[in-house]
Amino acid sequence: DVLQAISHSKQEFSKRKKLNKVSKALHNYHKNARRTGGRARIPAILDPISQQITYDDERISEIFTLHHQGKTDDVTVNEETDPELHSPLMHEVARKYGINLQEAFPPQPDDVEEEVTITMKKLKSLVTGLKADTAPGK
């Protein structure tokens, strides 16, 4: 049992060391890519599925794409359906606190079922009219 534990410990240490080297390589790549204007390439990366180092450029690109998609995609949103205009959570909170939503949000005279159109000219004037280092609503 002791020999097996020592062997397992050594294997884990070498695996961590290998992953640490890959992590350092990625860090150095990003650091160097800033200096070269992003014109560098990654020759190899650890594939998270197979836990093997891959040299295939397409697979490396796919790994980065999946990694960044996982950070930005909202899996709770169904892109096929139209966005929900009425929030069931809002009705639940209103019921909990005894708020009448019809009184809190009375119909407005400009509430119509028409499409809203925004011209490129109007959009450009909104963006160019912003002060430096600001955003709409600031």
Side-chain angles (χ1 to χ4, degrees), residues 87-103:
S87 169
L89 183 60
M90 182 174 73
H91 291 286
E92 185 179 319
V93 170
R95 243 189 333 275
K96 180 178 178 181
Y97 292 103
I99 299 171
N100 185 347
L101 291 176
Q102 299 300 336
E103 290 175 11

Side-chain angles (χ1 to χ4, degrees), residues 13-125:
F13 177 75
S14 67
K15 187 177 180 181
R16 266 188 264 123
K17 191 174 180 181
K18 183 178 181 182
L19 289 174
N20 198 12
K21 285 181 182 179
V22 172
S23 176
K24 284 181 183 177
L26 275 175
H27 174 77
N28 287 335
Y29 165 77
H30 287 293
K31 189 172 77 175
N32 292 333
R34 283 189 294 255
R35 279 189 250 137
T36 62
R39 292 183 308 272
R41 67 179 282 276
I42 298 175
I45 191 170
L46 184 70
D47 191 330
I49 295 171
S50 66
Q51 293 299 316
Q52 299 291 322
I53 293 180
T54 181
Y55 300 94
D56 182 24
D57 288 339
E58 287 183 23
R59 180 63 186 142
I60 291 170
S61 174
E62 186 180 315
I63 290 169
F64 274 97
T65 301
L66 292 173
H67 176 72
H68 290 293
Q69 270 182 349
K71 292 192 281 184
T72 58
D73 287 352
D74 187 358
V75 294
T76 62
V77 174
N78 183 359
E79 293 180 10
E80 300 295 320
T81 60
D82 287 333
E84 183 69 34
L85 297 177
H86 301 284
S87 169
L89 183 60
M90 182 174 73
H91 291 286
E92 185 179 319
V93 170
R95 243 189 333 275
K96 180 178 178 181
Y97 292 103
I99 299 171
N100 185 347
L101 291 176
Q102 299 300 336
E103 290 175 11
F105 302 105
Q108 300 295 312
D110 59 348
D111 285 348
V112 289
E113 297 282 332
E114 295 178 11
E115 273 190 41
V116 176
T117 56
I118 300 173
T119 63
M120 287 303 288
K121 183 178 177 182
K122 182 68 174 171
L123 187 60
K124 183 178 178 183
S125 72

